[in-house]
């Protein structure tokens, strides 16, 4: 799992496709939505591409949960399956 997790640090999804400078022009709501979409896509991709993750999830020994971390407050927002 750790080998695969390193790849998740690459920019993916809506934020990964953004060009330099375009994030500054996004409204706070649009940026939050893009971040959440990026997290969801990364979780789906990890679960689809990693046999180790798939096996552990299927066996009930692992649950993959997306989250965001607020740099200013230190708060972590964990997403449930419906988010």
């Amino acid at each position: 799992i750790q080998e695969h997790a390193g790849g998740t640090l690459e920019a993916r999804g809506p934020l990964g496709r953004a060009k330099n400078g375009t994030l500054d022009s996004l409204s706070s709501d649009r940026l939050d939505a893009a971040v959440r979409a990026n997290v969801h896509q990364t979780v789906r991709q990890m679960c689809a591409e990693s046999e180790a993750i798939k096996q552990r999830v299927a066996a009930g020994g692992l649950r993959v949960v997306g989250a965001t971390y607020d740099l200013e407050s230190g708060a972590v927002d964990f997403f449930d399956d419906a988010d």
Side-chain angles (χ1 to χ4, degrees), residues 1-10 12 42 46 50 53:
I1 294 174
Q2 209 165 17
E3 291 173 2
H4 182 77
T8 64
L9 298 178
E10 298 171 9
R12 298 178 188 223
T42 301
M46 286 174 56
S50 171
I53 291 174

Side-chain angles (χ1 to χ4, degrees), residues 52-70:
I53 291 174
K54 277 194 266 190
Q55 290 172 2
R56 286 174 177 82
V57 168
L62 177 68
R63 181 174 176 214
V64 181
V65 179
T68 57
Y69 174 74
D70 187 302

